[in-house]
Amino acid sequence: MSFVEYGDTIKDGDTAIVFLGHESMFPVKVQHGTVTQTKYGVIRHSTDLIGKKYGSKVTCSKGGWVFILHPTPELWTMNLPHRTQILYSTDISIITMMLELKPGSIVCESGTGSGSLSHALIRTVAPTGHLYTVEFHQQRAEKAREEFREHGVEHLVTVTNQDVCKNGFGVSNIADAVFLDIPSPWEAIGHAKSALKAEGGRICSFSPCIEQVQRTCLAMEEYGFTEINTLEILLRVYNVRTISLQIPDLGKAAEDNSSTGFDSSSPSHQGSSCANLQQGTVQFKSGVPLREVVGHTGYLTFATKS
């Protein structure tokens, strides 16, 4: 099993995603002799998982069923254990595009955190690229190494435990792109410039506060970066609902079926048209935004090494 190479069959030691529904899923490490509890009953790894194909429908002990999915960076972002705040697919997608990443790219990242962005970067630069990721916290760095090894991508990533603001990324003049997600990114701009290739490398800094963005932009200008641009990505989700609206009273014209927008000659509409007219309402499909939406995640500042 690898996050960058699809495997057809579930094997002992794999990481799989147990899918109960769009709002309910979780990762599980497949191990011979182990069982996993769900609200639909027990899943026995030896008989229910190992040897089955990814995407299979598995019946649990209580009669309910779940799907077992092959892990991807997108699914991992939704289900990973949070050691820090993470980046989600909305920001990750624009980061990989604006940094102009492709298979074979060399990327430097700090900090590693929970590894949400790291998995997406690895999948993007595979099979010939490489990710150099730096994490200040020793335990988080060790956990990231363990996860990359379990997920079959350790050959595509190098994890370093050090302070990027003092010691840099450990590489020079080879990176196509640098990503910074640290409290004081302006202190690491010089090291980012040293890590980037001689000309044309791209840099991105993620910061939740505009004061961080201002200091980072000044540091980028000081080190000769060009095309400095800051943006924010906000996701707005809509629910499709059926709503009822009252038919306005327009006098005699309102009694004419043709004014309701229904084809009275159509058998499928005759009954509903009459019923709606008698009730004085008509039904429509409408997109309704969620009552609560995320108002702010962070600012993304991009620049190019001159």
Side-chain angles (χ1 to χ4, degrees), residues 7 16 35 53 62 90 100 103 151 158 182 198 218 257-258 268 277 279 290 300:
V35 298
K53 289 188 175 182
K62 293 182 180 179
T90 306
E100 302 173 4
H151 298 166
T158 299
I182 54 178
L218 291 174
N257 287 350
S258 61
S268 62
L277 282 173
Q279 297 172 3
L290 301 180
L300 293 168

Side-chain angles (χ1 to χ4, degrees), residues 32 40 51 58 77 96 138 161 165 170 178 222 229 274 284 294-295 306:
H32 184 77
Y40 301 127
V58 174
T77 291
T96 54
Q138 182 179 358
N161 173 220
C165 296
V178 169
E222 180 182 348
N229 181 36
C274 294
F284 293 94
V294 177
S306 176

Side-chain angles (χ1 to χ4, degrees), residues 30-176:
V30 180
Q31 293 179 313
H32 184 77
T34 303
V35 298
T36 296
Q37 295 283 351
T38 73
K39 63 181 180 181
Y40 301 127
V42 172
I43 301 173
R44 295 174 176 83
H45 294 200
S46 301
T47 57
D48 297 334
L49 300 183
I50 297 176
K52 300 292 181 64
K53 289 188 175 182
Y54 279 106
S56 296
K57 182 178 179 180
V58 174
T59 302
C60 304
S61 62
K62 293 182 180 179
W65 47 267
V66 299
F67 288 104
I68 307 300
L69 306 181
H70 192 284
T72 64
E74 291 80 10
L75 289 175
W76 186 244
T77 291
M78 297 169 63
N79 294 282
L80 58 78
H82 286 228
R83 300 183 289 274
T84 59
Q85 289 281 13
I86 68 169
L87 291 176
Y88 291 92
S89 297
T90 306
D91 288 318
I92 291 173
S93 60
I94 197 71
I95 290 169
T96 54
M97 184 188 75
M98 294 293 286
L99 289 182
E100 302 173 4
L101 301 181
K102 58 186 182 299
S105 295
I106 306 297
V107 187
C108 292
E109 175 198 26
S110 183
T112 311
S114 300
S116 174
L117 177 64
S118 303
H119 282 81
L121 294 177
I122 291 169
R123 198 262 306 273
T124 303
V125 305
T128 56
H130 201 83
L131 171 67
Y132 294 90
T133 182
V134 178
E135 172 57 51
F136 175 77
H137 194 273
Q138 182 179 358
Q139 284 73 26
R140 287 201 293 263
E142 293 173 353
K143 185 61 178 178
R145 289 193 191 98
E146 179 185 341
E147 285 183 348
F148 293 142
R149 183 169 56 255
E150 291 179 352
H151 298 166
V153 297
E154 71 276 9
H155 61 291
L156 297 169
V157 57
T158 299
V159 182
T160 305
N161 173 220
Q162 63 186 28
D163 185 350
V164 70
C165 296
K166 296 180 179 179
N167 307 114
F169 294 93
V171 296
S172 299
N173 302 320
I174 64 169
D176 298 289

Side-chain angles (χ1 to χ4, degrees), residues 239-245 276 282-288:
N239 283 334
V240 178
R241 299 178 181 175
T242 300
I243 61 175
S244 297
L245 297 179
N276 286 330
V282 63
Q283 291 185 331
F284 293 94
K285 292 288 186 181
S286 176
V288 181

